[in-house]
Amino acid sequence: ADQAPHLALAQLAYRCLSGSDAIENVAELAQGIAESIPADPRSWLGLANIYKELDDAEGEAAAVKKALEVGPRFPEAIFRHAALMEQQGEYSKAVADYRTLVEVAPDSSAAQNNLAYTLLLAGGNDEEALKHAAIAAENRPRDAGVLHTLGLAQMRTGNLEDADKNLRRATEIDPANPTIMYDFGRLLAKQDLKEEAAKRVRYALAMSKNAGLDFPQADEAEAFLDTLQ
């Protein structure tokens, strides 16, 4: 409770620094703010936000790591660290973080969904991924990302009929997401619908190239398309 006024001032200071082109040594000033309240993870997350605005990935990662060190059960710190691990391809570490997040915030659909998806990315327990994806879908039945995760888990566990229903619905809700479209194409190929599968994969690749959309699986999709010819 004693730190509350100090934290409020720190958050105000971060807002003043955020997006400021007129202040020199923004990172240094922000670092000093964080170090003035070192035991509160929110002060380090504020610093992480400043580094993110400055496009300093190393500084952001260090600040997020510090936030998790001082607040190992603080949901936002866990979430930010998990997201960084996922971005770096450290899927097993992301899974560990999301498992902790599910323990801390079991009602969070985002935590349930992200745990399921990173389990699938890590090649972990597909049945466990399915369980968490289903929990997320119960609370967010119209979320394209959640339906994508659920459909992918169903495809991995052999339930192609339900996977088709959920992945198809995900593409209808978010038709501009190349990753979802590609995974739906992979499902169609599993159902021996190669012509439609190829069409979906081509569409995913065209979207990512023409609209500049993020599509980490682009090279994989190109190779997969060759197998459908």
Side-chain angles (χ1 to χ4, degrees), residues 153-226:
Q154 289 166 332
M155 180 170 69
R156 290 276 189 90
T157 53
N159 185 352
L160 301 188
E161 183 177 350
D162 283 345
D164 186 291
K165 179 183 71 175
N166 287 306
L167 285 174
R168 189 180 297 275
R169 180 64 176 141
T171 64
E172 292 169 354
I173 295 170
D174 189 4
N177 188 310
T179 296
I180 295 176
M181 193 65 69
Y182 168 55
D183 283 335
F184 184 42
R186 292 198 300 129
L187 173 65
L188 292 169
K190 278 184 173 289
Q191 297 171 303
D192 207 27
L193 299 170
K194 293 188 177 181
E195 185 175 341
E196 187 178 353
K199 182 167 65 174
R200 298 283 182 161
V201 176
R202 287 194 196 96
Y203 184 66
L205 288 165
M207 275 195 300
S208 67
K209 291 175 182 176
N210 297 337
L213 299 174
D214 185 39
F215 187 24
Q217 304 96 330
D219 290 342
E220 178 187 314
E222 292 276 11
F224 183 69
L225 185 59
D226 289 340

Side-chain angles (χ1 to χ4, degrees), residues 99 116 119-120 123-130:
R99 280 202 176 109
L119 279 166
L120 294 169
N125 188 324
D126 293 339
E127 292 290 345
E128 183 187 358
L130 179 60

